[in-house]
Amino acid sequence: MKSLFWRAKSLEEMSTEFLKVTKQACQVFLKGLRLYLEDSLEAFEEAYSEISRLENQGDYLRREIENQLYTKTLIPESRGDVLALLENIDNITNQAKQILMELSVEIPKIPPIFHQNYLELGEKSVKAVDEVLLATQAFLNDPLVIQQSLTKVYYWEGEADDHSEKLKRRVFRTPDLELAHKFHLRYFALHIELLADRAEDVADRLSIYTIKRSL
Amino acid sequence: MAIADLDQKLTHKCSNFIDLTSRVSLVALSAIKCFLCGDQVTSEACAEQVRRLEEDGDVMRRDTEAHLYSEALIPESRGDLLGLIESTDDIIDQIKKVVLLFSVETPMIPSDFQEDFYQLTNICMAAVDEVLLALRLYLYEPRRVSAQLPRVYEKEKAADKQAALIKHRAFRQNNLSLSQQMHLRYFAHNIDQIADRAENLADRLSIAAIKQTQ
């Protein structure tokens, strides 16, 4: 099967760059989460600035690709699919940035007994994202290898779900925490878990597009 | 060619729907302003008006969509127009949601936050206003849409900034309980979502306008 962009090399480069920016944003997200939990707030704020810059860069690239797709009428048969795919991937970066923004704004008090749980939840969610980015790259360039990555996305999304549920159960069974404090901790677990859900959304779309392309 | 040149009846229906959305945004702004000033009676009357307008909007939207698929003379653009109408309806839904949240949950907004909340609402409604203008241009002069859209994005960014400012301040107020801080954040977030809905419509318009002018 041919690369989707075999007639549009500049689009291929921009898309690769867009995926790279998304991956970087998720790495920065993990770094930021770790720094917040270590109480290194100055370095954490730098991570937040960095992810904001990456999000802007991603928005610019996405709009540029979309613009080219429609103004130059490139790949007319698949451009609707590519457009929806890009918007879903953009949601991943938005979610990663939103979590750091919420940590920065709301400065939740996360008791040390939960630090490891939050970190592992973040790592599992980012693994789901890494896999879906590989799957997307495959969709654009080499659709035959896509299924393997999709299986891993669903695996890591499931892991993140389970981990998040365990964390929330622990939080709500911890005495000495006010109900509002438990809600706040649950809110952050939910938002980190949503990162994996965003990856799953992309994977669902990729599954359908792969079938469409093989017909 | 513009949709107005191809199907005048459809254009008229869409135009009425845009007018209604604009009215929803104005009445909602008034509802929230009155709430913040402590004028509950007027705020509730405005909330009731928003509710009725939203119902009228649903009827109007369905009628326009039915026309689009049964009589419209623009088969190549109807998918785009359908998406645009539904995105506009999402704006109305979000505005109604916010107004009802104020009515149902009657949040305790400290006096030093009232101006900030009003500003946030005002910016969001300005984003709606800008995107509705872009939608009208799409019907009549699609070539002018791309020049209008940056105004929507600019307002959406300003709304994000204002919402972040409110949340940042709320979580640093030691005299507020955590539950109150979270309640303020919830309202700032939901108001900010109105501008996000306007941005979604702008994104759709951007592509639809390019297709319409090719």
Side-chain angles (χ1 to χ4, degrees):
Chain A
M1 209 182 288
K2 276 179 185 162
S3 155
L4 193 62
F5 292 141
W6 66 284
R7 279 180 302 181
K9 278 292 162 198
S10 68
L11 267 188
E12 181 172 353
E13 282 164 16
M14 275 200 290
S15 302
T16 303
E17 182 64 21
F18 178 67
L19 297 179
K20 209 171 107 189
V21 165
T22 311
K23 190 176 168 66
Q24 277 174 354
C26 288
Q27 293 307 319
V28 174
F29 155 73
L30 264 189
K31 185 173 84 178
L33 177 63
R34 195 170 293 121
L35 288 166
Y36 183 83
L37 294 171
E38 288 168 0
D39 206 25
S40 308
L41 293 185
E42 207 170 311
F44 164 77
E45 288 298 333
E46 280 169 27
Y48 172 48
S49 301
E50 195 179 347
I51 206 169
S52 301
R53 187 188 57 75
L54 288 166
E55 194 243 355
N56 283 336
Q57 197 182 339
D59 275 348
Y60 168 77
L61 283 167
R62 175 177 62 82
R63 291 201 173 114
E64 198 57 28
I65 296 167
E66 289 174 358
N67 220 19
Q68 282 208 19
L69 275 176
Y70 282 88
T71 50
K72 298 187 179 168
T73 44
L74 298 166
I75 53 165
E77 65 290 348
S78 310
R79 62 187 181 181
D81 292 349
V82 173
L83 180 75
L85 196 56
L86 293 177
E87 284 175 356
N88 275 274
I89 293 171
D90 196 37
N91 288 341
I92 294 175
T93 314
N94 291 344
Q95 184 64 31
K97 181 200 154 187
Q98 195 189 327
I99 300 164
L100 292 198
M101 190 265 271
E102 284 167 347
L103 288 171
S104 167
V105 168
E106 302 187 18
I107 40 172
K109 292 184 182 66
I110 301 181
I113 50 163
F114 297 123
H115 284 188
Q116 192 55 29
N117 295 104
Y118 277 95
L119 263 184
E120 282 175 24
L121 177 58
E123 283 164 3
K124 286 176 176 175
S125 295
V126 168
K127 277 187 176 153
V129 173
D130 285 346
E131 290 299 337
V132 91
L133 294 177
L134 284 175
T136 308
Q137 191 74 62
F139 173 74
L140 300 175
N141 302 323
D142 185 6
L144 294 176
V145 299
I146 202 170
Q147 193 50 46
Q148 200 165 336
S149 288
L150 289 183
T151 308
K152 290 181 191 165
V153 179
Y154 294 126
Y155 171 77
W156 286 113
E157 192 276 332
E159 284 286 297
D161 266 2
D162 291 348
H163 198 87
S164 180
E165 186 188 324
K166 276 182 203 148
L167 171 56
K168 288 183 232 169
R169 282 180 185 280
R170 242 191 111 191
V171 165
F172 279 91
R173 279 152 189 76
T174 303
D176 309 327
L177 287 180
E178 272 181 43
L179 185 56
H181 196 172
K182 289 176 183 176
F183 286 161
H184 210 200
L185 293 172
R186 181 243 279 146
Y187 178 83
F188 278 88
L190 174 72
H191 281 208
I192 298 173
E193 177 197 336
L194 273 180
L195 193 58
D197 288 351
R198 298 282 178 265
E200 188 187 32
D201 292 341
V202 177
D204 287 343
R205 283 191 175 263
L206 280 172
S207 298
I208 295 166
Y209 300 155
T210 309
I211 295 167
K212 275 170 77 178
R213 283 186 72 192
S214 65
L215 292 175
Chain B
M1 198 175 257
I3 287 176
D5 301 325
L6 299 167
D7 190 332
Q8 286 190 354
K9 200 172 166 188
L10 177 66
T11 307
H12 183 66
K13 283 175 187 289
C14 291
S15 196
N16 284 343
F17 188 56
I18 295 172
D19 290 342
L20 180 133
T21 311
S22 189
R23 272 204 302 282
V24 169
S25 112
L26 289 169
V27 178
L29 182 62
S30 180
I32 293 168
K33 187 180 181 185
C34 291
F35 181 92
L36 294 170
C37 296
D39 181 357
Q40 299 282 355
V41 176
T42 316
S43 178
E44 280 301 319
C46 291
E48 186 50 39
Q49 210 180 333
V50 168
R51 238 183 297 224
R52 276 202 309 273
L53 284 169
E54 191 265 346
E55 283 169 11
D56 294 347
D58 277 344
V59 174
M60 230 181 237
R61 174 177 59 82
R62 288 192 195 107
D63 176 51
T64 311
E65 288 174 358
H67 177 92
L68 201 55
Y69 279 86
S70 58
E71 300 170 44
L73 309 170
I74 51 155
E76 68 289 347
S77 313
R78 62 186 180 189
D80 286 337
L81 198 51
L82 180 72
L84 295 172
I85 292 169
E86 287 181 348
S87 293
T88 309
D89 194 47
D90 288 344
I91 296 177
I92 299 178
D93 289 346
Q94 185 61 30
I95 292 176
K96 179 190 155 193
K97 180 182 172 186
V98 169
V99 170
L100 289 189
L101 283 175
F102 272 100
S103 169
V104 171
E105 301 192 11
T106 56
M108 200 285 290
I109 298 188
S111 54
D112 56 336
F113 278 87
Q114 286 169 1
E115 181 58 27
D116 287 337
F117 271 95
Y118 178 68
Q119 282 306 327
L120 174 61
T121 314
N122 212 9
I123 297 167
C124 290
M125 297 313 180
V128 172
D129 202 38
E130 299 289 3
V131 82
L132 291 178
L133 176 56
L135 183 55
R136 214 180 284 279
L137 289 171
Y138 170 76
L139 297 173
Y140 293 92
E141 291 183 65
R143 281 184 197 286
R144 289 177 56 197
V145 169
S146 65
Q148 173 64 17
L149 294 180
R151 300 167 72 97
V152 183
Y153 296 130
E154 186 192 306
K155 300 282 188 310
E156 192 274 335
K157 288 252 179 279
D160 278 356
K161 210 172 155 188
Q162 179 71 7
L165 182 124
I166 291 175
K167 294 179 203 170
H168 195 271
R169 272 189 65 208
F171 281 94
R172 280 153 186 82
Q173 298 279 313
N174 294 329
N175 56 340
L176 294 178
S177 66
L178 180 59
S179 51
Q180 266 181 308
Q181 293 170 337
M182 291 197 294
H183 210 202
L184 293 177
R185 175 245 280 152
Y186 180 72
F187 273 84
H189 171 74
N190 272 291
I191 299 170
D192 186 29
Q193 286 283 302
I194 296 171
D196 287 351
R197 299 287 182 275
E199 186 189 32
N200 289 348
L201 176 57
D203 282 343
R204 273 187 179 270
L205 270 170
S206 158
I207 303 299
I210 293 170
K211 285 163 82 177
Q212 197 65 31
T213 48
Q214 271 171 354

